[in-house]
Amino acid sequence: MPAPLTPASRRLVVAGGLGGLALAVTGCDAVDRLIGDSLDSGVSPAPGATVSPTAPADDADSALVDKVVAVLSTTAALATQVGTQVPALARIGARLARLHDAHVRELGGTPASGTQSPKVAAGRGPARNQLLAAEAGLQNQLVAAAQSAQSGALAQLLASMAAAVAQQRAVLG
């Protein structure tokens, strides 16, 4: 029968970890220099050019962003109007309008200045239902936009916005 293993001391484990880390860092730098030198083709970007792995979205994504900004602005205007016309829903309307305005800014747009005046259903219940239906529609449009985005970063941003709307809908339930 083999002899039982003796437990390693704390000092031995820490020293071994630090030694391994030092070896890994040194080794990575050496490999980096080796690979970097062999792969260097001598071609470099023009001075002042920006090179980024997450390049700006193409024209299809630009059109998609414009469409999403318009939908967000319309829904924000409805939320603001519901909050203004139905005092019992003022807090909910203001919260949703702030959320949508923040999303518009994140996409590079400018929040609507209140020039739009959507028609709001009369009464607390119908106005709340109208607002919740608009939020459900917005969520579906954000999900569809995330699925059709060409840029991964844009798709993640739109999906995050859809999740934020879904969370607010769940709270308002």
Side-chain angles (χ1 to χ4, degrees):
M1 184 162 157
L5 295 175
T6 58
S9 71
R10 190 178 321 170
R11 287 182 185 161
L12 180 63
V13 171
V14 170
L18 290 175
L21 179 65
L23 182 62
V25 168
T26 305
C28 288
D29 287 344
V31 171
D32 235 8
R33 282 192 300 269
L34 247 174
I35 292 174
D37 291 344
S38 67
L39 293 179
D40 188 16
S41 63
V43 178
S44 60
T50 303
V51 178
S52 169
T54 55
D58 60 355
D59 289 333
D61 276 354
S62 297
L64 180 65
V65 167
D66 292 342
K67 180 181 172 186
V68 170
V69 165
V71 171
L72 283 166
S73 296
T74 301
T75 309
L78 175 64
T80 300
Q81 200 67 11
V82 165
T84 302
Q85 291 183 10
V86 184
L89 299 176
R91 200 169 120 217
I92 293 170
R95 181 174 44 191
L96 290 171
R98 280 192 311 270
L99 175 70
H100 301 325
D101 287 346
H103 288 167
V104 167
R105 282 190 296 276
E106 186 67 30
L107 290 170
T110 305
S113 60
T115 56
Q116 303 168 352
S117 295
K119 186 172 179 159
V120 176
R124 182 179 189 265
R128 184 174 188 276
N129 291 341
Q130 179 185 7
L131 183 58
L132 289 177
E135 294 296 322
L138 173 63
Q139 180 185 347
N140 291 336
Q141 289 178 323
L142 287 169
V143 168
Q147 291 173 342
S148 66
Q150 299 297 312
S151 162
L154 178 61
Q156 287 178 345
L157 179 62
L158 294 171
S160 173
M161 290 177 183
V165 171
Q167 182 180 24
Q168 290 301 315
R169 287 184 55 223
V171 169
L172 297 174

